[in-house]
Amino acid sequence: MKISVIGGGYVGLVTASCFAYLGHIVQIIEIDSKKADLINQGIPPIYEEKLEEILKQTAGKNLSAQSHYEGLGDADIIFICVGTPPQDDGSADLKYIISASKSIGAALKGSKKYHVITVKSTVPPGTTESIVMPIVLELLGNGSNCVGFCMNPEFLREGRAIDDFLHPDRVVIGGSSEEAVRVVQEAYEKLDAPVITTSLKAAEMIKYTSNAFLATKISFSNEIGNICKKIGINVYEVMKGVGLDHRINPYFLNAGLGFGGSCFPKDVMALIRLAEKNGEDPVLLRSVIDINERQPGRIVQILNERIGDIRGKNITVLGLAFKDNTDDVRDSRSIPVISELLEHGAVISAYDPMAFESMKKIFPGINYHTNAGDALIGADACLVLTEWPEFSKLNDEFNLMKSRVIIEGRKILSCSGIEGVCW
């Protein structure tokens, strides 16, 4: 099939690369010409495991990128993969969705080929029907019979997105017609996964609900972990016993600093605002956010209890990305931790295998190192904030510290003499 992907960001690039890997002819439309050039050279502009390997196999063959909409009329499916960042009140900003819809409608005007315009961006329920469809159809005019509309949410975990795309738990397709759904389903025919077909609104809501539920599991685990720490119980022993219940499962029960990244925080807030707009009071969802926002402060509180006043103390921070296997620091729990440390006058040394360049843009004044050992020299305490596998091998490096006070926000360390934020 001929597929066009609007947006060469995280979701768009992974989506386009994987569809090309499956044998489709894929065109990425990315307004940043420098990013488009990198993609055409087989160089990923973001870090994602296995992405570079797939780009090298497909770029210049059946995958290409451009910064204009020429040739869009050849596409069987057009995936909208643009960002939906939060507005000041937490609701989804749909300006990029609107812009992409206008550009698609203008580019397809006069086309006689049948196209399926498919939203993959995370959007509030009703967006495809009330915003994307009217804009495109108005611009098409007499050509409105040549298009169908679908909503096909993505369920990609950063750091594991390629595997998630190629081995999905399910493929969800909401459609305006059976024909539109059939076309999108055909694009996924090489994947072994159940296909769930729904209305457009239901497909949009499935994405929000999935992320909100996973975020709820994390905040629930953290609240239980905070209680367990007070009474001397290892929360990981508790959750191991809880997670083996098939009705619950063990995933997303790891207590720690809370969730971050580009999806969970913004999607839960957007769902809260959607509920409020429709006259509902989302008490549980507000609590999920509240617990998550308070959790990073707990590790600083423990630090104060262990070493006293931290003003002028040398604190090492290991882990800056919001999770392992990515360089993404969006809503990373390390940001509020570092902010609070700086407010208290700490001197910070930091190390992360991937994310230090991204974090430099936020905190240019702290000391960044290229390995954990250098970051630990002379430290009064160490906070481990990201679950990078290489941190599990650390042991002798901690002997370089002035005092061996080690507190982790993710349970990754295997050495002795450590303490967890809620265990």
Side-chain angles (χ1 to χ4, degrees):
M1 302 179 76
K2 292 184 177 180
I3 294 174
S4 288
V5 175
I6 313 301
Y10 175 76
V11 173
L13 183 55
V14 170
T15 297
S17 301
C18 287
F19 273 131
Y21 179 75
L22 292 176
H24 300 295
I25 300 169
V26 185
Q27 168 196 65
I28 299 174
I29 297 175
E30 167 54 54
I31 59 172
D32 185 338
S33 59
K34 292 181 180 178
K35 188 182 289 186
D37 289 342
L38 285 173
I39 294 169
N40 286 327
Q41 295 172 50
I43 303 171
I46 58 170
Y47 175 77
E48 177 62 39
E49 188 178 19
K50 300 181 182 180
L51 179 58
E52 185 173 6
E53 178 185 340
I54 287 182
L55 272 183
K56 286 180 178 178
Q57 292 180 39
T58 58
K61 301 178 181 67
N62 60 326
L63 175 68
S64 63
Q66 60 190 50
S67 54
H68 53 79
Y69 279 75
E70 291 179 17
L72 192 69
D74 295 330
D76 299 300
I77 307 173
I78 301 164
F79 285 99
I80 298 178
C81 298
V82 297
T84 53
Q87 301 190 85
D88 291 341
D89 67 350
S91 59
D93 188 342
L94 301 177
K95 62 185 177 184
Y96 300 120
I97 294 286
I98 293 170
S99 176
S101 300
K102 289 179 179 178
S103 296
I104 290 168
L108 295 183
K109 190 173 181 64
S111 174
K112 303 301 181 183
K113 179 184 175 69
Y114 182 72
H115 313 276
V116 180
I117 299 165
T118 304
V119 177
K120 191 169 273 291
S121 303
T122 302
V123 294
T127 299
T128 306
E129 282 184 350
S130 63
I131 294 179
V132 177
M133 288 177 64
I135 290 174
V136 172
L137 293 176
E138 181 180 358
L139 288 167
L140 284 180
N142 294 332
S144 60
N145 292 328
C146 294
V147 293
F149 295 87
C150 282
M151 170 62 190
N152 173 221
E154 52 85 15
F155 303 100
L156 307 176
R157 297 170 297 167
E158 288 196 43
R160 295 154 182 82
I162 302 297
D163 285 340
D164 285 346
F165 188 101
L166 297 176
H167 307 284
D169 295 322
R170 76 286 200 199
V171 175
V172 176
I173 307 171
S176 61
S177 67
E178 291 183 5
E179 174 64 9
V181 170
R182 184 196 64 76
V183 172
V184 175
Q185 188 170 348
E186 186 180 339
Y188 288 97
E189 66 180 2
K190 288 187 178 180
L191 301 185
D192 182 19
V195 176
I196 309 299
T197 59
T198 71
S199 66
L200 291 166
K201 284 184 179 180
E204 291 163 332
M205 192 61 173
I206 286 169
K207 176 57 189 286
Y208 269 126
T209 304
S210 294
N211 280 358
F213 183 72
L214 294 174
T216 300
K217 290 185 73 174
I218 294 170
S219 283
F220 174 81
S221 299
N222 287 338
E223 188 148 83
I224 296 298
N226 295 336
I227 298 169
C228 285
K229 188 173 180 69
K230 293 284 188 181
I231 55 180
I233 299 172
N234 186 332
V235 68
Y236 275 75
E237 291 182 8
V238 173
M239 288 309 181
K240 182 177 180 180
V242 171
L244 289 176
D245 187 322
H246 72 277
R247 298 167 299 176
I248 298 173
N249 84 49
Y251 302 109
F252 290 85
L253 291 180
N254 293 332
L257 286 179
F259 55 82
S262 62
C263 295
F264 285 6
K266 82 174 182 69
D267 291 352
V268 176
M269 280 304 305
L271 190 53
I272 289 171
R273 297 298 176 237
L274 179 68
E276 293 172 341
K277 182 180 177 181
N278 287 276
E280 289 296 323
D281 184 15
V283 177
L284 176 60
L285 294 178
R286 284 205 196 94
S287 296
V288 169
I289 292 294
D290 182 53
I291 292 168
N292 197 61
E293 290 305 300
R294 287 190 280 113
Q295 201 67 12
R298 288 181 170 270
I299 200 168
V300 180
Q301 181 182 342
I302 295 170
L303 178 65
N304 273 308
E305 293 170 356
R306 300 297 175 264
I307 68 171
D309 185 8
I310 62 175
R311 183 169 300 279
K313 298 285 180 65
N314 294 311
I315 310 299
T316 296
V317 172
L318 297 182
L320 303 171
F322 86 93
K323 61 178 291 189
D324 66 307
N325 232 18
T326 181
D327 59 355
D328 195 346
V329 299
R330 285 176 290 181
D331 262 308
S332 170
R333 298 295 81 193
S334 64
I335 294 174
V337 171
I338 292 173
S339 294
E340 190 167 348
L341 290 174
L342 291 174
E343 287 174 10
H344 285 82
V347 178
I348 300 175
S349 294
Y351 166 68
D352 186 284
M354 289 286 175
F356 64 91
E357 289 293 345
S358 300
M359 195 60 84
K360 275 184 181 179
K361 299 173 184 176
I362 302 173
F363 298 109
I366 67 177
N367 303 310
Y368 294 92
H369 298 269
T370 57
N371 62 76
D374 287 350
L376 287 164
I377 294 174
D380 293 290
C382 173
L383 305 181
V384 181
L385 306 182
T386 309
E387 62 274 33
W388 283 101
E390 71 173 76
F391 294 163
S392 67
K393 302 172 185 176
L394 296 176
N395 190 5
D396 293 342
E397 291 86 350
F398 291 121
N399 294 329
L400 298 169
M401 299 172 65
K402 182 179 179 181
S403 58
R404 191 170 165 132
V405 177
I406 307 161
I407 310 166
E408 58 176 334
R410 313 290 182 187
K411 193 170 178 59
I412 187 66
L413 301 180
S414 56
C415 58
S416 60
I418 58 176
E419 180 178 3
V421 65
C422 52
W423 62 91

